[in-house]
Amino acid sequence: VLTQASSSIQHVTTAITVTLKLKHQFPVLRDKTQTTVRIPAKLSDGSMGNPTDPQVIESVCYSRLAEPYMIDNVMDGHQMYFGSSTGAFRIIPARHSETCGDYDPRQRPWFVAASSGPKDVIGRAYDDRRMDLAKDAAITVVGTLSVADRFAIITFADEAVQTVGEGGMIRATNENKNQTIDIIKNLTAGPGLTNFYDAFAKAFDAIEQTIQVEFTTGCNVALLFMTDGKISTGGLEDEVITMVNQRIGNLNMTFNRTTTIFTYSLGQYADNQVTKRLACETNGIWTPVDDFADDLVTAMSSYYTLYASGLGQGGNEDWVA
């Protein structure tokens, strides 16, 4: 749903309104004469659980303008909801959530699909003592994918192994996502060596193989790379950067694909130099994540926002979606 933005809104906000048929009748009170607003618990940092972030507050306020439309158009047995890139969520029929602050629309497949479009995603998890955190983040990223997406997962230590995808990428069906989540949960920590070169080489091999058999989305290619270590085997920094740039150039020239790399450095001992260069040279995003203070799950699952921001550029500059 495209809605013209108010001139007072200076930032690009991604927001999606969805109508969904209810499959089950839950024993809760529902009110079709008004909407309910929910926000994630970490945004409820003000008095009585209210948000203090100005952008969250603004999203709640301007989405109120959609309430009359939602009231007039929601059908019996259906629900209609609105999600914002700030984390604000408005739903009709109005009702309380089972767990307060547990729902974040930005991590739901319907939101990510609408804001970023179809994409091919390659994820990599580094097998180490922070494995539980890496698993949670990878599982959340898989959960954001829709059936229009294709994905693969590559784990690496002293060498890289394609854990999901069998040489190419697979469609993000519910069955494939559930199987992938089970695989991720069973990953264990490996040797202490770190081979960036082999990890990226395996990733580009998977992308090219899938394109060659015409099994890709034909749209964006996203590589999500997380590590808590530094290069200790395989190609050195310049060799990794050169190889990645060459493979990206080949995808662009041969297959007309634009590739974006999102890198995440976890902890104080993680590489910052290579990960930052990789992201910057592909117009991606590098995110340093503290072991305790920051949220790797949220950081990794928000990769789609870079694609979503494009909706506010060029001929779309006066619109939000």
Side-chain angles (χ1 to χ4, degrees), residues 96-214:
H96 292 296
S97 58
E98 295 182 10
T99 305
C100 289
D102 192 45
Y103 188 84
D104 190 334
R106 298 168 297 184
Q107 296 179 2
R108 303 302 301 158
W110 58 266
F111 185 93
V112 176
S115 61
S116 63
K119 55 203 162 295
D120 300 321
V121 179
I122 297 284
R124 306 176 189 78
Y126 179 57
D127 299 328
D128 59 20
R129 62 186 177 83
R130 298 185 178 89
M131 206 54 186
D132 287 342
L133 185 57
K135 288 181 185 179
D136 289 342
I139 288 170
T140 302
V141 170
V142 170
T144 68
L145 302 175
S146 76
V147 71
D149 302 321
R150 289 186 177 273
F151 72 103
I153 292 179
I154 292 170
T155 58
F156 68 97
D158 57 332
E159 63 180 3
V161 177
Q162 183 161 344
T163 309
V164 175
E166 299 183 358
M169 291 183 287
I170 59 176
R171 187 176 296 279
T173 62
N174 287 334
E175 180 181 4
N176 285 338
K177 290 197 295 183
N178 289 336
Q179 291 176 353
T180 297
I181 289 172
D182 288 338
I183 291 172
I184 292 172
K185 289 179 178 178
N186 290 319
L187 290 175
T188 57
L193 299 177
T194 309
N195 191 335
F196 284 14
Y197 192 98
D198 199 29
F200 278 104
K202 287 284 197 308
F204 284 108
D205 287 346
I207 294 169
E208 291 181 3
Q209 178 176 330
T210 307
I211 293 175
Q212 288 168 0
V213 294
E214 299 182 349

Side-chain angles (χ1 to χ4, degrees), residues 66-95:
E67 186 176 59
Y69 173 86
M70 298 171 75
I71 293 172
D72 291 341
N73 289 276
V74 67
M75 297 178 288
D76 288 338
H78 289 70
Q79 60 185 355
M80 182 178 291
Y81 42 84
F82 168 97
S84 167
S85 60
T86 63
F89 180 72
R90 184 180 293 275
I91 186 171
I92 188 170
R95 64 186 184 277

